[in-house]
Amino acid sequence: MSEAPAVVGAEPDLIVRREGAAGIIRLNRPKAINAMTLEMSLGIDAALDQFEADPAVAVVVLEGAGERGLCAGGDIRGLWESSKVGGDLGKVFWRQEYIMNARIARFPKPYVAFMDGLVMGGGVGLSAHASHRVVTEKTKLAMPEVGLGFFPDVGGTWLLSHSPGEIGTYFGLTGQTMNGPDAIYSGFADAVVPTAKWPALREALTRVRAGATATEVRKLIDGFATAETSGPVAAMQSSIDRWFGHDRMQDIIVALQRDGSEPALATLKALSEKSPRGMVVTLRLLRLARTAKSLEECLVREYRAALQVFASDDFREGVRAAVIDKDRQPKWSPPRIEDVTPAMVAPYFAEIGADELRFP
């Protein structure tokens, strides 16, 4: 049987090119809301090598193709399929991704992420560690991993643990969506730029002078930005702090039940849909992240936990219910928070010897 001919003119999943002074990285899987594959992650790393070495590149710009969003996360279906057969995609993919997340945070040139539309999971890792993070009136940013039997990774525990008060605990455990101003308030973004103004800002970025400083690029972005710095969640700060200011999931649940208000009950409902084990692991990761010295320290801890997640029934069941069968009725193991024992959680935090995440 002969092979099917290649599609003439088909574009790659990642587009890397220089436009004037800007090194452009465009995620190009619009039908999948630019979900990240291992190959795309490797391609971004290679692009960063290229742009870091090129003196003509003054600024890096990350953007997503299509109208729906920057990036809906990692290629969850591929990870699920590998997990089902005992494969090693999780081990390889997350190692590559987490090392890249740390690199983005330390990148020596201004790195501008255009966080329009959906920005979830792995998309947060590509953008929220950037030096310049631009959101829009259409931004919907979330770390909904606990609903997949997982936890907010890609350095999410570092970012969430630095949000004001218990805002990060709230977003990490509920998986609720941030709008653009929410993202700024929570420490995930820097400026709201209306989508109508993005083409002009993007054009201006291609004309930035060689050697431009982060401050100069920030001033340029501010010239296109609104003054919004806090969204709906800021008004809930005192309630959220009261509900989530505990180190045990059981105590958070009790605080919400005692409150009994409509927002508290809505939050309880959101938590009731999540993996009990995922929530307990997430809460502990968030509390440990508060005393972490660096993003890298959190990523090392996340990698240990991620490998345990990859081998777990909860991950496979969470993805099945949300992505594969889409019945939205996961059967969590165990099904109740009070049944999650220390012995179940301990392996997520154990050292993993030769498999430990190490940074170049």
Side-chain angles (χ1 to χ4, degrees), residues 4 14 22-23 31 70 73 100 125 189-190 230 251 263 275 285 327 344:
L14 187 73
K31 288 181 180 176
L70 171 65
M100 181 177 62
D190 303 302
S230 63
D251 296 332
S275 158
L285 285 167
D327 61 22
M344 288 178 190

Side-chain angles (χ1 to χ4, degrees), residues 147 182 207 234:
D182 276 340
R207 299 196 303 269

Side-chain angles (χ1 to χ4, degrees), residues 173 243-254 280 283 287 337:
L173 290 172
W243 300 334
F244 287 89
H246 307 279
D247 295 336
R248 295 192 327 142
M249 277 309 305
Q250 293 94 321
D251 296 332
I252 291 173
I253 298 298
V254 168
V280 172
L283 184 57
R287 293 301 182 249
I337 288 167

